[in-house]
PDB file of all heavy atoms in Angstrom:
ATOM      1  N   GLY S 194      11.736  40.888  41.893  1.00 96.00           N
ATOM      2  CA  GLY S 194      10.469  40.487  42.594  1.00 96.00           C
ATOM      3  C   GLY S 194      10.409  39.089  43.119  1.00 96.00           C
ATOM      4  O   GLY S 194       9.859  38.872  44.197  1.00 96.00           O
ATOM      5  N   LEU S 195      10.892  38.088  42.310  1.00 97.00           N
ATOM      6  CA  LEU S 195      10.896  36.744  42.827  1.00 97.00           C
ATOM      7  C   LEU S 195      11.819  36.506  44.027  1.00 97.00           C
ATOM      8  O   LEU S 195      11.349  35.924  45.029  1.00 97.00           O
ATOM      9  CB  LEU S 195      11.423  35.876  41.699  1.00 97.00           C
ATOM     10  CG  LEU S 195      11.416  34.366  41.982  1.00 97.00           C
ATOM     11  CD1 LEU S 195      10.075  33.963  42.393  1.00 97.00           C
ATOM     12  CD2 LEU S 195      11.922  33.578  40.675  1.00 97.00           C
ATOM     13  N   THR S 196      12.935  37.187  44.131  1.00 97.00           N
ATOM     14  CA  THR S 196      13.767  37.130  45.274  1.00 97.00           C
ATOM     15  C   THR S 196      13.031  37.719  46.503  1.00 97.00           C
ATOM     16  O   THR S 196      13.082  37.295  47.576  1.00 97.00           O
ATOM     17  CB  THR S 196      15.051  37.906  44.955  1.00 97.00           C
ATOM     18  OG1 THR S 196      15.799  37.222  43.918  1.00 97.00           O
ATOM     19  CG2 THR S 196      15.900  37.826  46.327  1.00 97.00           C
ATOM     20  N   ALA S 197      12.383  38.846  46.283  1.00 97.00           N
ATOM     21  CA  ALA S 197      11.622  39.543  47.302  1.00 97.00           C
ATOM     22  C   ALA S 197      10.530  38.694  47.850  1.00 97.00           C
ATOM     23  O   ALA S 197      10.308  38.620  49.118  1.00 97.00           O
ATOM     24  CB  ALA S 197      11.049  40.906  46.880  1.00 97.00           C
ATOM     25  N   LEU S 198       9.787  38.056  46.873  1.00 97.00           N
ATOM     26  CA  LEU S 198       8.788  37.132  47.438  1.00 97.00           C
ATOM     27  C   LEU S 198       9.358  35.953  48.297  1.00 97.00           C
ATOM     28  O   LEU S 198       8.777  35.596  49.343  1.00 97.00           O
ATOM     29  CB  LEU S 198       8.081  36.633  46.266  1.00 97.00           C
ATOM     30  CG  LEU S 198       6.984  37.381  45.552  1.00 97.00           C
ATOM     31  CD1 LEU S 198       6.453  36.594  44.314  1.00 97.00           C
ATOM     32  CD2 LEU S 198       5.780  37.605  46.540  1.00 97.00           C
ATOM     33  N   LEU S 199      10.473  35.412  47.820  1.00 98.00           N
ATOM     34  CA  LEU S 199      10.953  34.304  48.463  1.00 98.00           C
ATOM     35  C   LEU S 199      11.576  34.625  49.855  1.00 98.00           C
ATOM     36  O   LEU S 199      11.565  33.795  50.721  1.00 98.00           O
ATOM     37  CB  LEU S 199      12.031  33.489  47.623  1.00 98.00           C
ATOM     38  CG  LEU S 199      11.374  32.964  46.376  1.00 98.00           C
ATOM     39  CD1 LEU S 199      12.437  32.273  45.495  1.00 98.00           C
ATOM     40  CD2 LEU S 199      10.448  31.668  46.656  1.00 98.00           C
ATOM     41  N   ASP S 200      12.139  35.855  49.883  1.00 98.00           N
ATOM     42  CA  ASP S 200      12.753  36.347  51.165  1.00 98.00           C
ATOM     43  C   ASP S 200      11.500  36.436  52.217  1.00 98.00           C
ATOM     44  O   ASP S 200      11.724  36.049  53.331  1.00 98.00           O
ATOM     45  CB  ASP S 200      13.271  37.825  50.985  1.00 98.00           C
ATOM     46  CG  ASP S 200      14.729  37.657  50.370  1.00 98.00           C
ATOM     47  OD1 ASP S 200      15.275  36.612  50.231  1.00 98.00           O
ATOM     48  OD2 ASP S 200      15.255  38.779  49.901  1.00 98.00           O
ATOM     49  N   GLY S 201      10.412  36.977  51.802  1.00 97.00           N
ATOM     50  CA  GLY S 201       9.246  37.045  52.701  1.00 97.00           C
ATOM     51  C   GLY S 201       8.771  35.734  53.044  1.00 97.00           C
ATOM     52  O   GLY S 201       8.357  35.451  54.169  1.00 97.00           O
ATOM     53  N   LEU S 202       8.682  34.742  52.068  1.00 97.00           N
ATOM     54  CA  LEU S 202       8.205  33.396  52.438  1.00 97.00           C
ATOM     55  C   LEU S 202       9.263  32.734  53.410  1.00 97.00           C
ATOM     56  O   LEU S 202       8.882  31.926  54.301  1.00 97.00           O
ATOM     57  CB  LEU S 202       8.071  32.520  51.182  1.00 97.00           C
ATOM     58  CG  LEU S 202       6.948  32.873  50.264  1.00 97.00           C
ATOM     59  CD1 LEU S 202       6.976  32.134  48.981  1.00 97.00           C
ATOM     60  CD2 LEU S 202       5.578  32.643  50.947  1.00 97.00           C
ATOM     61  N   GLU S 203      10.600  32.924  53.128  1.00 96.00           N
ATOM     62  CA  GLU S 203      11.550  32.262  54.050  1.00 96.00           C
ATOM     63  C   GLU S 203      11.260  32.861  55.589  1.00 96.00           C
ATOM     64  O   GLU S 203      11.470  31.977  56.493  1.00 96.00           O
ATOM     65  CB  GLU S 203      12.884  32.627  53.548  1.00 96.00           C
ATOM     66  CG  GLU S 203      13.987  31.768  54.313  1.00 96.00           C
ATOM     67  CD  GLU S 203      15.209  31.638  53.414  1.00 96.00           C
ATOM     68  OE1 GLU S 203      15.487  32.503  52.659  1.00 96.00           O
ATOM     69  OE2 GLU S 203      15.892  30.555  53.587  1.00 96.00           O
ATOM     70  N   ARG S 204      10.981  34.101  55.788  1.00 96.00           N
ATOM     71  CA  ARG S 204      10.786  34.534  57.056  1.00 96.00           C
ATOM     72  C   ARG S 204       9.609  33.939  57.666  1.00 96.00           C
ATOM     73  O   ARG S 204       9.558  33.545  58.824  1.00 96.00           O
ATOM     74  CB  ARG S 204      10.605  36.091  56.979  1.00 96.00           C
ATOM     75  CG  ARG S 204      11.922  36.878  56.753  1.00 96.00           C
ATOM     76  CD  ARG S 204      11.874  38.325  57.094  1.00 96.00           C
ATOM     77  NE  ARG S 204      11.068  38.942  56.143  1.00 96.00           N
ATOM     78  CZ  ARG S 204      11.419  39.508  54.971  1.00 96.00           C
ATOM     79  NH1 ARG S 204      12.803  39.416  54.671  1.00 96.00           N
ATOM     80  NH2 ARG S 204      10.633  40.139  54.005  1.00 96.00           N
ATOM     81  N   GLN S 205       8.520  33.721  56.851  1.00 95.00           N
ATOM     82  CA  GLN S 205       7.341  33.031  57.315  1.00 95.00           C
ATOM     83  C   GLN S 205       7.743  31.569  57.728  1.00 95.00           C
ATOM     84  O   GLN S 205       7.212  30.969  58.706  1.00 95.00           O
ATOM     85  CB  GLN S 205       6.198  32.923  56.280  1.00 95.00           C
ATOM     86  CG  GLN S 205       5.631  34.373  56.031  1.00 95.00           C
ATOM     87  CD  GLN S 205       4.400  34.212  55.066  1.00 95.00           C
ATOM     88  OE1 GLN S 205       3.681  33.283  55.064  1.00 95.00           O
ATOM     89  NE2 GLN S 205       4.224  35.253  54.203  1.00 95.00           N
ATOM     90  N   TYR S 206       8.503  30.951  56.953  1.00 95.00           N
ATOM     91  CA  TYR S 206       8.939  29.567  57.152  1.00 95.00           C
ATOM     92  C   TYR S 206       9.721  29.445  58.491  1.00 95.00           C
ATOM     93  O   TYR S 206       9.586  28.505  59.247  1.00 95.00           O
ATOM     94  CB  TYR S 206       9.773  29.026  55.952  1.00 95.00           C
ATOM     95  CG  TYR S 206      10.042  27.564  56.014  1.00 95.00           C
ATOM     96  CD1 TYR S 206       9.087  26.622  55.656  1.00 95.00           C
ATOM     97  CD2 TYR S 206      11.365  27.056  56.224  1.00 95.00           C
ATOM     98  CE1 TYR S 206       9.375  25.303  55.693  1.00 95.00           C
ATOM     99  CE2 TYR S 206      11.641  25.861  56.144  1.00 95.00           C
ATOM    100  CZ  TYR S 206      10.606  24.827  55.890  1.00 95.00           C
ATOM    101  OH  TYR S 206      10.844  23.567  55.978  1.00 95.00           O
ATOM    102  N   GLU S 207      10.636  30.453  58.640  1.00 94.00           N
ATOM    103  CA  GLU S 207      11.372  30.426  59.947  1.00 94.00           C
ATOM    104  C   GLU S 207      10.387  30.500  61.060  1.00 94.00           C
ATOM    105  O   GLU S 207      10.630  29.972  62.170  1.00 94.00           O
ATOM    106  CB  GLU S 207      12.396  31.528  59.993  1.00 94.00           C
ATOM    107  CG  GLU S 207      13.471  31.363  58.957  1.00 94.00           C
ATOM    108  CD  GLU S 207      14.387  32.640  58.700  1.00 94.00           C
ATOM    109  OE1 GLU S 207      13.942  33.622  59.209  1.00 94.00           O
ATOM    110  OE2 GLU S 207      15.340  32.539  58.011  1.00 94.00           O
ATOM    111  N   ARG S 208       9.367  31.325  61.020  1.00 92.00           N
ATOM    112  CA  ARG S 208       8.443  31.471  62.106  1.00 92.00           C
ATOM    113  C   ARG S 208       7.639  30.231  62.422  1.00 92.00           C
ATOM    114  O   ARG S 208       7.285  29.926  63.589  1.00 92.00           O
ATOM    115  CB  ARG S 208       7.476  32.660  61.893  1.00 92.00           C
ATOM    116  CG  ARG S 208       8.103  34.094  62.042  1.00 92.00           C
ATOM    117  CD  ARG S 208       7.121  35.147  62.197  1.00 92.00           C
ATOM    118  NE  ARG S 208       6.314  35.308  61.057  1.00 92.00           N
ATOM    119  CZ  ARG S 208       6.673  36.004  59.937  1.00 92.00           C
ATOM    120  NH1 ARG S 208       7.794  36.838  59.997  1.00 92.00           N
ATOM    121  NH2 ARG S 208       5.858  36.359  58.841  1.00 92.00           N
ATOM    122  N   LEU S 209       7.375  29.404  61.287  1.00 88.00           N
ATOM    123  CA  LEU S 209       6.749  28.072  61.508  1.00 88.00           C
ATOM    124  C   LEU S 209       7.615  27.235  62.450  1.00 88.00           C
ATOM    125  O   LEU S 209       7.075  26.488  63.275  1.00 88.00           O
ATOM    126  CB  LEU S 209       6.511  27.451  60.222  1.00 88.00           C
ATOM    127  CG  LEU S 209       5.492  27.924  59.229  1.00 88.00           C
ATOM    128  CD1 LEU S 209       5.543  27.164  57.901  1.00 88.00           C
ATOM    129  CD2 LEU S 209       4.212  27.834  59.891  1.00 88.00           C
ATOM    130  N   GLY S 210       8.967  27.207  62.258  1.00 76.00           N
ATOM    131  CA  GLY S 210       9.853  26.485  62.985  1.00 76.00           C
ATOM    132  C   GLY S 210       9.867  26.957  64.512  1.00 76.00           C
ATOM    133  O   GLY S 210      10.006  26.125  65.360  1.00 76.00           O
ATOM    134  N   GLU S 211       9.756  28.286  64.635  1.00 75.00           N
ATOM    135  CA  GLU S 211       9.751  28.795  66.015  1.00 75.00           C
ATOM    136  C   GLU S 211       8.568  28.421  66.856  1.00 75.00           C
ATOM    137  O   GLU S 211       8.549  28.221  67.932  1.00 75.00           O
ATOM    138  CB  GLU S 211       9.998  30.313  65.953  1.00 75.00           C
ATOM    139  CG  GLU S 211      11.295  30.798  65.377  1.00 75.00           C
ATOM    140  CD  GLU S 211      11.255  32.247  65.162  1.00 75.00           C
ATOM    141  OE1 GLU S 211      10.155  32.935  65.335  1.00 75.00           O
ATOM    142  OE2 GLU S 211      12.201  32.807  64.705  1.00 75.00           O
ATOM    143  N   THR S 212       7.463  28.267  66.048  1.00 71.00           N
ATOM    144  CA  THR S 212       6.117  28.041  66.708  1.00 71.00           C
ATOM    145  C   THR S 212       5.946  26.512  66.785  1.00 71.00           C
ATOM    146  O   THR S 212       4.917  26.065  67.469  1.00 71.00           O
ATOM    147  CB  THR S 212       4.913  28.751  66.133  1.00 71.00           C
ATOM    148  OG1 THR S 212       4.971  28.380  64.802  1.00 71.00           O
ATOM    149  CG2 THR S 212       5.184  30.331  66.186  1.00 71.00           C
TER     150      THR S 212
END
Side-chain angles (χ1 to χ4, degrees):
L195 182 56
T196 298
L198 277 177
L199 293 174
D200 283 348
L202 288 175
E203 190 157 32
R204 286 192 290 272
Q205 292 184 35
Y206 189 72
E207 291 169 355
R208 287 197 292 272
L209 285 178
E211 293 169 0
T212 59

